Amino acid sequence: MIVTTTEEVPGYAVGEVLGVVSGNTVRSKNVGRDVMAGLKSLVGGELEEYTAMLSDARTEAYNRMVNAARDLGADAVVNVRFATSQTMAAAAELLAYGTAVKLVPKK
């Protein structure tokens, strides 16, 4: 599966647009991470616990998007974007979305 943030894939043309695909996950803080992040915020620097949590969430959203594209029979997902939003005080959603397409080789 080719996944790209661009509209085109070098060497290929879009033969068919299958539709928008997305994958998302909502993650919440846990007490242990929250306490450690609170302590870290006193001295400054990266909140590594949250960085790891969001990285895992991004990977999960990406994989769900790719699986949705596979279910449609896509060869690629183009124009991929990521978005995040706070769904409640202690939770954030990560969303990956793009356009599932069938590719044909350029001549």
Side-chain angles (χ1 to χ4, degrees), residues 26-105:
V26 177
R27 301 289 171 106
S28 66
K29 305 183 259 184
N30 69 37
V31 174
R33 283 186 179 155
D34 204 27
V35 168
M36 294 303 293
L39 293 173
K40 181 72 170 192
S41 68
L42 294 174
V43 296
E46 181 179 5
L47 301 177
E48 294 166 357
E49 297 82 9
Y50 289 120
T51 299
M53 180 183 71
L54 289 173
S55 180
D56 291 345
R58 200 168 18 260
T59 299
E60 183 65 33
Y62 174 91
N63 289 338
R64 289 177 179 179
M65 176 193 67
V66 168
N67 288 335
R70 279 197 182 110
D71 290 346
L72 293 176
D75 300 317
V77 183
V78 297
N79 286 323
V80 171
R81 302 289 182 260
F82 289 91
T84 186
S85 63
Q86 184 174 352
T87 57
M88 55 187 277
E93 176 189 34
L94 245 95
L95 171 69
Y97 61 97
T99 304
V101 298
K102 288 281 224 181
L103 299 174
V104 293

Side-chain angles (χ1 to χ4, degrees), residues 11-28:
Y12 294 91
V14 172
E16 182 182 358
V17 174
L18 301 174
V20 174
V21 288
S22 63
N24 72 320
T25 184
V26 177
R27 301 289 171 106
S28 66

